[in-house]
Amino acid sequence: MNRDPLPVPLEEGAATAEDEAPDLDSDRREAARANEALYAHLKAHDAVLFRTDSVFAVRVSGEAELDGRKVAYCLVPPDGTLMKARRWKKTPADQRLALVQARVNAQRMAAMRSRVSDFLQQSHALAQALGLDAGQFWPALVTDGLEEQGRFATILARMQAAHAQQLEQRNAQKVKDAIRLEDYPESFPAAKLPRRFIALLGPTNSGKTHAAIEALKQARSGVYLAPLRLLANENYERLADAGIAVSLVTGEERKLHPQATHFASTVEMLDPHRSVDVAVIDEVQMLEDAERGSAWTAAICGVAAQTVYVLGSPGAEPALHALAARLGVPLEVQHLERKAPLEVEPRPLGGLNALAPGDALIAFSRREVLFLAQQLSRMGRSVATIYGALSPEARRAQARRFESGEAAIVVATDAIGMGLNLPIVRVVFSSVSKFDGYEEDLLPRALLHQIAGRAGRYGIHEAGRVCGLDEFAHRYIARELRRQPHPLHATRFQVAPSLDHLHALQAATGEQSLEKLLQRFVRNLDLRDDFFVPANLEDSLARAPLLDRTGLSLQERVMLSLVPINSNVIVLDAAWRGWVWAMARGETVRLRDDYAIERMELQEAEDQCRLCAAYSWLSYRRPEVFPDGERAREMAVRLSTLIDGMLARRHSGSTGRGMQRERRVRHGARAQPRSARRHRH
């Protein structure tokens, strides 16, 4: 705010208006005398008239005393704003003088000094209560024109803020004392066990999982930790088919054997208190995954097994050496070569009409997958589709259509790169750019290698082939596949806070808010050498403010913050919020079963399937609140079947002779033109 002080009072002996203009008439002389009197009055009371952009006001200087200490102030008293500038200029000088004399006089100045003294007493008492020195805040009482009571409030607010900052600093130190991430491995029972790591590292189709599962079959007890429910289920079936007593344990599904010696789980479902002879941790390069990397850190540090097989790409080796050294566990590295060679074709495909049976066409969004599949079906081609929004059951059903030859071509997102072993002859990239959550960018080299590696299944094809749909994609693929993926970092392994961590922070700081506890975990940990770092808690932090308003226990809020449901989908987020408030009110949450499933559109069916999966996840953790878990799992199967049927009808494409011809090509028989067949007969 612009403050332009008016001219100071005339000094004694200076020329007066009368001296300079003896010919002024009586009114003007009276006005000049009134102005002189006004400035003299202000000076006598240590006051100054000043103008802001729109008003005239007075500020008063003085000293107040507290316990013998004198404190200066310069403030606008509560009635120190006189009038708007435009009106002031039109007001006669004698009225201005009268107004200033009424507002600035000995009685009022004494009252102001008393108010400042009272404020000094009040702020001193507050400072003592907060453990602060009030004197460091009092210089702010000298201003160039700020209102008295407002300045008092500002100083008190600054004291509260300084106290809060001190508390935050003390709490930050308490957080560091309570949780040292360098001691993270010691928080697991496995830290006391003699363990050894065997790393099986190689590209896709090098037989890593097969070798590890064979070792698992020979063990007296064991656990397989998968990145996906689909993979956990697949290897659960492999172990069960071998006559092993095995249980499946994922977030949304349980198949429990009463005498189980082996377990197949998703990596997040690790039970660190269950000791086994052999553990297999699959897709270990996921250590650097922005959203789930902490689960692999926990698995490597915490799985209680004498022998731990870690499977992944060759680039994981530096990270595994670093972790093994930090954990004091011996590491044996075995490099596996790809069983069938992978070849880049000499030229791009050029167009969809050049796709052949056994091809996988890769796109990077659900919308693009469905669009390309529709284009192919209109061309008479039979298509299967696989993308992330599909349930594991629907993905498996679509995969079976491709495996059986019912669908000649599979159109898929990068969801195909993990957990599905399909008889793909050739991988064709429709694009080499992908939205990474922030912007569209070229495919990371490691992801490109993983997807391309799905071509050429060992035992079915002599080699795998890969190409781009257009020239740009093809050149990028050819260049990147000649280069090795970047190795994983050998530091900054992600750690997510456990409930024990949060209880420790709560005990140390007295903080009850989940949001603030998570923030403290992220910001104030003792990281020392940055070997272990806080995980990305963006989703939990986004949910925490709502959860903190519910009155639920910390354990319940943590659980609800981790529900595997996409909050960016409006219908799913609304369901999650409804579950939260129902749980807060102590209600039982029943699963709706009044849906007309047969009339659902594809998107609605996918959303309802994901909602059933999330309900099932909650039913395993709080069955008394979410009692319809079994019904949710049954409905998810029904919805998956419905989705599979929708996709099959959408993209059935060729039938009859055309489909038979494509099947023959898929299975190695050469499709000859009709003229050649006539000649042969």
Side-chain angles (χ1 to χ4, degrees):
M1 185 165 53
N2 182 30
R3 295 183 176 87
D4 300 319
L6 294 182
V8 296
L10 294 174
E11 297 294 336
E12 189 173 341
T16 67
E18 287 182 279
D19 295 334
E20 292 181 354
D23 57 335
L24 288 176
D25 59 27
S26 173
D27 288 343
R28 299 185 70 178
R29 285 196 297 272
E30 286 299 319
R33 277 195 287 270
N35 279 332
E36 290 176 19
L38 184 152
Y39 286 111
H41 181 81
L42 288 169
K43 184 176 182 180
H45 292 87
D46 289 324
V48 173
L49 182 69
F50 69 98
R51 184 183 65 202
T52 69
D53 291 335
S54 58
V55 299
F56 276 86
V58 291
R59 61 175 179 259
V60 178
S61 299
E63 286 185 340
E65 188 173 330
L66 178 67
D67 298 333
R69 178 178 178 179
K70 293 184 178 180
V71 179
Y73 61 87
C74 181
L75 300 163
V76 176
D79 56 357
T81 299
L82 302 176
M83 64 179 67
K84 291 184 177 180
R86 184 177 298 176
R87 182 181 167 197
W88 175 270
K89 292 176 181 178
K90 296 178 181 178
T91 300
D94 59 340
Q95 292 182 24
R96 295 180 191 170
L97 173 62
L99 177 62
V100 170
Q101 288 173 336
R103 301 281 181 91
V104 180
N105 53 56
Q107 183 179 0
R108 287 180 178 254
M109 296 305 94
M112 183 177 184
R113 189 176 300 107
S114 177
R115 289 194 300 274
V116 175
S117 295
D118 290 345
F119 170 74
L120 296 178
Q121 184 65 49
Q122 177 190 5
S123 59
H124 178 69
L126 178 62
Q128 284 188 317
L130 300 180
L132 301 171
D133 174 16
Q136 65 179 319
F137 298 93
W138 289 340
L141 290 169
V142 177
T143 75
D144 63 351
L146 296 177
E147 194 272 334
E148 169 195 300
Q149 296 300 315
R151 178 87 314 200
F152 293 169
T154 296
I155 291 172
L156 294 176
R158 286 180 181 176
M159 295 173 73
Q160 294 284 4
H163 175 63
Q165 187 176 14
Q166 282 189 355
L167 280 179
E168 184 61 33
Q169 290 171 349
R170 285 198 290 269
N171 280 334
Q173 187 57 49
K174 289 179 181 178
V175 168
K176 290 182 179 181
D177 294 339
I179 300 177
R180 299 181 184 275
L181 280 193
E182 65 175 0
D183 300 330
Y184 175 68
E186 281 67 48
S187 66
F188 293 99
K192 300 179 177 63
L193 297 177
R195 298 192 296 165
R196 68 180 181 123
F197 291 165
I198 299 176
L200 303 182
L201 305 180
T204 308
N205 267 326
S206 58
K208 303 183 295 291
T209 305
H210 174 77
I213 293 297
E214 288 304 307
L216 196 59
K217 288 178 181 178
Q218 302 304 316
R220 289 177 302 174
S221 61
V223 61
Y224 170 76
L225 298 173
L228 300 172
R229 180 157 64 102
L230 193 64
L231 260 180
N233 212 320
E234 180 181 305
N235 286 293
Y236 160 79
E237 290 173 356
R238 288 172 68 177
L239 293 169
D241 290 345
I244 292 172
V246 59
S247 289
L248 175 72
V249 181
T250 72
E252 300 87 6
E253 188 177 12
R254 303 282 196 279
K255 296 177 183 176
L256 302 179
H257 191 294
Q259 286 86 40
T261 58
H262 289 62
F263 298 84
S265 302
T266 42
V267 68
E268 282 86 357
M269 297 304 294
L270 165 72
D271 182 353
H273 299 284
R274 180 189 292 127
S275 294
V276 293
D277 290 341
V278 172
V280 176
I281 304 173
D282 211 347
E283 303 290 359
V284 73
Q285 69 274 4
M286 291 285 286
L287 276 165
E288 284 195 356
D289 185 80
E291 295 180 356
R292 299 178 64 203
S294 59
W296 273 262
T297 305
I300 292 171
C301 292
V303 67
Q306 295 174 19
T307 302
V308 181
Y309 287 87
V310 284
L311 319 181
S313 64
E317 186 170 354
L320 294 177
H321 276 297
L323 277 167
R326 187 64 170 254
L327 300 174
V329 175
L331 170 66
E332 174 189 338
V333 178
Q334 298 179 18
H335 291 281
L336 283 69
E337 298 297 326
R338 185 180 162 86
K339 299 288 187 182
L342 183 65
E343 302 168 353
V344 178
E345 298 206 323
R347 60 186 61 86
L349 190 70
L352 297 182
N353 57 351
L355 286 166
D359 283 349
L361 179 62
I362 307 301
F364 292 98
S365 71
R366 172 187 180 275
R367 171 190 257 174
E368 190 67 13
V369 164
L370 294 177
F371 171 76
L372 290 170
Q374 186 178 48
Q375 294 293 100
L376 287 167
S377 64
R378 286 175 178 170
M379 295 164 60
R381 313 303 297 276
S382 57
V383 180
T385 49
I386 295 171
Y387 48 92
L390 291 180
S391 67
E393 293 80 10
R395 285 193 222 181
R396 192 181 298 113
Q398 287 290 297
R400 284 172 182 155
R401 292 183 189 279
F402 181 71
E403 286 178 308
S404 69
E406 183 180 343
I409 297 164
V410 60
V411 185
T413 63
D414 49 341
I416 204 172
M418 192 182 297
L420 287 170
N421 292 312
L422 299 175
I424 297 168
V425 179
R426 178 174 59 180
V427 168
V428 180
F429 287 85
S430 68
S431 169
V432 288
S433 62
K434 179 186 178 184
F435 184 70
D436 63 5
Y438 301 96
E439 61 183 351
E440 195 84 13
D441 202 359
L442 290 171
L443 289 181
R445 191 179 302 160
L447 180 59
L448 183 69
H449 276 252
Q450 188 165 20
I451 297 170
R454 290 294 167 186
R457 187 168 173 181
Y458 179 65
I460 298 178
H461 309 114
E462 292 184 3
R465 308 200 312 273
V466 60
C467 68
L469 190 61
D470 57 40
E471 186 67 36
F472 174 79
H474 193 73
R475 285 202 310 270
Y476 181 77
I477 291 163
R479 185 188 75 201
E480 294 300 298
L481 287 182
R482 286 195 299 267
R483 302 171 177 175
Q484 289 299 317
H486 299 293
L488 270 63
H489 294 108
T491 186
R492 300 191 65 79
F493 297 102
Q494 300 173 61
V495 174
S498 66
L499 185 61
D500 288 342
H501 285 141
L502 296 178
H503 276 309
L505 296 183
Q506 190 179 53
T509 64
E511 182 59 66
Q512 301 301 314
S513 161
L514 173 61
E515 181 183 23
K516 291 182 179 177
L517 289 171
L518 293 174
Q519 287 171 344
R520 292 191 193 287
F521 183 85
V522 172
R523 296 174 186 167
N524 299 325
L525 289 187
D526 186 352
L527 301 180
R528 298 296 174 91
D529 55 2
D530 275 0
F531 190 83
F532 296 109
V533 296
N536 179 359
L537 303 179
E538 184 178 336
D539 287 346
S540 292
L541 280 167
R543 293 174 172 181
L546 172 66
L547 294 168
D548 283 336
R549 297 198 296 270
T550 62
L552 292 166
S553 70
L554 179 62
Q555 182 176 359
E556 290 169 326
R557 282 177 283 153
V558 170
M559 178 194 72
L560 289 166
S561 77
L562 298 174
V563 175
I565 198 166
N566 188 348
S567 296
N568 294 323
V569 178
I570 293 174
V571 65
L572 301 182
D573 185 58
W576 176 80
R577 290 170 181 268
W579 294 341
V580 167
W581 287 114
M583 192 167 170
R585 292 189 296 266
E587 299 172 358
T588 299
V589 182
R590 308 308 302 241
L591 184 73
R592 284 185 58 188
D593 57 1
D594 56 349
Y595 301 108
I597 288 181
E598 292 72 18
R599 286 185 237 152
M600 285 183 177
E601 296 293 328
L602 179 60
Q603 181 69 67
E604 185 182 4
E606 290 173 2
D607 290 343
Q608 289 302 321
C609 198
R610 287 187 283 180
L611 189 147
C612 286
Y615 185 99
S616 177
W617 187 93
L618 284 163
S619 75
Y620 282 119
R621 289 153 180 81
R622 290 297 301 272
E624 73 283 5
V625 180
F626 301 91
D628 298 329
E630 192 57 42
R631 198 140 51 87
R633 290 180 281 280
E634 291 171 358
M635 187 175 290
V637 172
R638 287 178 59 199
L639 287 163
S640 296
T641 303
L642 175 70
I643 291 166
D644 177 55
M646 287 181 184
L647 293 172
R649 287 190 296 275
R650 272 187 174 205
H651 309 135
S652 58
S654 58
T655 56
R657 291 182 181 176
M659 183 175 288
Q660 290 172 13
R661 178 172 176 268
E662 289 191 329
R663 283 180 177 172
R664 283 199 300 274
V665 173
R666 283 279 301 279
H667 290 87
R670 179 170 299 183
Q672 299 178 355
R674 289 183 181 179
S675 59
R677 294 202 297 271
R678 284 197 301 270
H679 178 74
R680 190 180 67 182
H681 288 296

